[in-house]
Amino acid sequence: MTLHFPNASRSYDPVKRCVSFWGHESTFEIAFHLDEEALERISPEVRRNEASLLEAFDVNRVQIERAALSAYARRRQSFCHLTASDF
C-alpha cells in the first residue's frame, strides 16, 4: 500500500510551533508535524499566528504532502517531523 491523505484535517500546536496532519498507509495512521520554519520556506509571507499558518498550509497542501511522502519513504515510522530541509 502507499501513503495517502484522505483526511484534510490539520491543526496548529502553539507549544510545538507546528502544524499537525495525518496520512494513512493501509490501516496505519502516520502523524506529521510541520515546523513553522518549513512553512516560512514555502510561503515567505506567512505570519506566525494560527490563522496565517493554517492558511499557508492549505494553499501549499500538495507540495507539503509530496514532501511528507518523501520523508515517510525514507523513515517509514508512525511519526514524521518535517523541517525546512525537507523542502
Side-chain angles (χ1 to χ4, degrees):
M1 300 288 311
T2 61
L3 182 67
H4 61 283
F5 301 92
N7 185 348
S9 69
R10 77 289 186 268
S11 62
Y12 175 68
D13 185 330
V15 174
K16 294 179 183 176
R17 297 177 53 198
C18 68
V19 174
S20 299
F21 64 105
W22 298 266
H24 291 86
E25 180 179 37
S26 187
T27 60
F28 299 103
E29 182 175 80
I30 314 304
F32 292 90
H33 289 183
L34 176 65
D35 279 350
E36 288 179 355
E37 291 81 13
L39 275 169
E40 287 178 331
R41 174 170 277 185
I42 60 177
S43 189
E45 70 284 349
V46 72
R47 290 168 293 161
R48 288 193 177 205
N49 64 61
E50 181 175 5
S52 182
L53 291 162
L54 290 175
E55 180 181 356
F57 181 92
D58 292 342
V59 167
N60 295 287
R61 181 177 281 277
V62 171
Q63 182 180 0
I64 292 166
E65 287 179 356
R66 270 190 251 131
L69 285 166
S70 178
Y72 179 71
R74 288 190 308 273
R75 301 175 195 142
R76 304 290 277 184
Q77 298 174 349
S78 62
F79 170 80
C80 285
H81 186 101
L82 300 174
T83 65
S85 66
D86 289 306
F87 292 87

